[in-house]
Amino acid sequence: MYGIGELTKQIKHSLDTQVSLARLRRSHTLEDRVAGRTVLITGASSGIGRAAAVRIGAAGATVALVARREAELREVAAQIESSGGKAAVYPCDLNDFDALDAMTVQVLADHGGVDILVNNAGRSIRRRLDESYDRFHDYERTMRLNYFVPTRLMLALLPGMRERRDGQVVSVLSLAILFGGAGFSAYIASKAALDSLTDSLQVETLTENIRFTTVYMPLVRTPMIAPSSLYQNAVALTPEQGAGAICDAIIDRPRRISPVRGRIANLLDRVVPERFDVVRSGRFQQGM
């Protein structure tokens, strides 16, 4: 049985393999997809969101940068503009729905619409069941940021995309949705809810040139995982590698981006769920 470090290393290799094969077949560039368009990225002040914003801005997009920390957003904007790109800063506490709604109204007023929405902001909580009995608020606050915030954004921005019959929503989820995330129940449930929602929305908009792309992101070395001692020595992607997956999602517009091992794990869970539960339980016990 793989330890968490070895498992992450194998996942990274399989993700690299999938991306490499997709790149061999592609006929578009990032510039083709984003030049002259408006791309809104949440969680853009650091980590994956910041790295993706810099790359997308350099490719010719106007990047709407959304996060709580204004000073850091302005640093990202300056970096984008120094390479000839365009960026607009929208400081916003996404957990405050009134502030979120005001931000989306301002973005639409400033740019006339958003062509690509990247749902990147998220909250992770690692807490076992026996530590969660009196912490229902963990589930509420995780669901609020990871599910209700992107839902509210999509409801605000999709009407314009549908009217123009063009647009994309990229949602950064977690590979643990496919492998199982024991110990992360609040986090995984919130990400799985968004996954299920975008499945339904894709079916409803399939003939309108709207694409919903789910990125089942492996472990990435960002501030979000810093509080967990479990991941201190684990193999992880860099923020730039995570941003690469987002850019690949925009270029190729696939329905899903997932490491091969993640898809195999998902298949096993459907075919032999009881046996796969034993495997996942072993991994959970090992990581406690």
Side-chain angles (χ1 to χ4, degrees):
M1 184 182 300
Y2 290 121
I4 190 164
E6 180 62 25
L7 184 64
T8 306
K9 187 184 299 182
Q10 295 290 332
I11 290 166
K12 177 184 180 298
H13 174 72
S14 62
L15 178 62
D16 289 343
T17 300
Q18 181 196 4
V19 168
S20 295
L21 291 173
R23 287 172 179 164
L24 289 174
R25 296 192 297 265
R26 72 175 38 150
S27 57
H28 294 279
T29 65
L30 185 60
E31 289 80 2
D32 292 336
R33 294 297 194 192
V34 304
R37 302 181 126 196
T38 300
V39 181
L40 189 154
I41 304 176
T42 63
S45 61
S46 64
I48 300 171
R50 177 174 185 150
V54 170
R55 287 187 59 175
I56 291 168
T62 296
V63 189
L65 305 167
V66 179
R68 286 178 299 169
R69 300 185 294 271
E70 181 174 358
E72 293 183 27
L73 287 180
R74 296 206 175 277
E75 291 176 3
V76 181
Q79 187 176 356
I80 291 171
E81 290 165 355
S82 69
S83 63
K86 297 179 182 179
V89 170
Y90 296 94
C92 180
D93 180 357
L94 294 171
N95 286 298
D96 180 341
F97 286 169
D98 289 338
L100 184 157
D101 292 343
M103 179 272 293
T104 54
V105 168
Q106 189 62 55
V107 169
L108 292 174
D110 291 346
H111 305 285
V114 169
D115 300 294
I116 300 171
L117 166 65
V118 180
N119 289 316
N120 169 69
R123 174 194 297 275
S124 178
I125 294 178
R126 180 174 184 256
R127 191 164 283 119
R128 301 191 313 265
L129 174 60
D130 59 353
E131 299 172 329
S132 302
Y133 298 144
D134 61 349
R135 296 187 62 88
F136 178 72
H137 60 280
D138 284 346
Y139 292 82
E140 287 183 304
R141 61 181 181 162
T142 308
M143 188 66 76
R144 187 177 185 88
L145 182 58
N146 293 357
Y147 176 69
F148 288 121
V149 165
T151 298
R152 207 168 180 102
L153 282 169
M154 289 188 291
L155 292 176
L157 301 179
L158 279 168
M161 294 184 188
R162 299 184 77 184
E163 182 178 349
R164 295 187 299 273
R165 300 187 70 83
D166 184 49
Q168 184 179 18
V169 175
V170 178
S171 295
V172 179
L173 304 186
S174 171
L175 183 62
I177 293 175
L178 305 180
F179 270 93
F184 290 86
S185 57
Y187 173 67
I188 298 305
S190 65
K191 292 291 190 178
L194 182 57
D195 197 18
S196 180
L197 173 64
T198 54
D199 278 349
S200 297
L201 298 181
Q202 181 64 92
V203 173
E204 290 191 41
T205 59
L206 190 62
T207 62
E208 299 173 11
N209 195 35
I210 308 296
R211 174 62 77 182
F212 291 83
T213 300
T214 296
V215 179
Y216 297 105
M217 192 70 75
L219 189 66
V220 181
R221 186 70 59 193
T222 67
M224 189 171 74
I225 71 168
S228 178
S229 60
L230 179 66
Y231 296 134
Q232 285 182 359
N233 299 314
V235 176
L237 303 183
T238 65
E240 289 71 24
Q241 288 171 318
I246 293 175
C247 292
D248 288 327
I250 293 172
I251 296 168
D252 299 322
R253 289 169 57 96
R255 182 65 188 85
R256 294 178 173 86
I257 290 181
S258 166
V260 174
R261 288 180 177 272
R263 286 177 280 167
I264 292 173
N266 186 243
L267 177 62
L268 290 173
D269 189 37
R270 294 175 182 273
V271 176
V272 285
E274 294 84 2
R275 294 181 64 181
F276 198 55
D277 281 344
V278 173
V279 174
R280 290 187 290 199
S281 178
R283 286 179 55 217
F284 173 63
Q285 298 299 327
Q286 183 184 30
M288 287 181 61

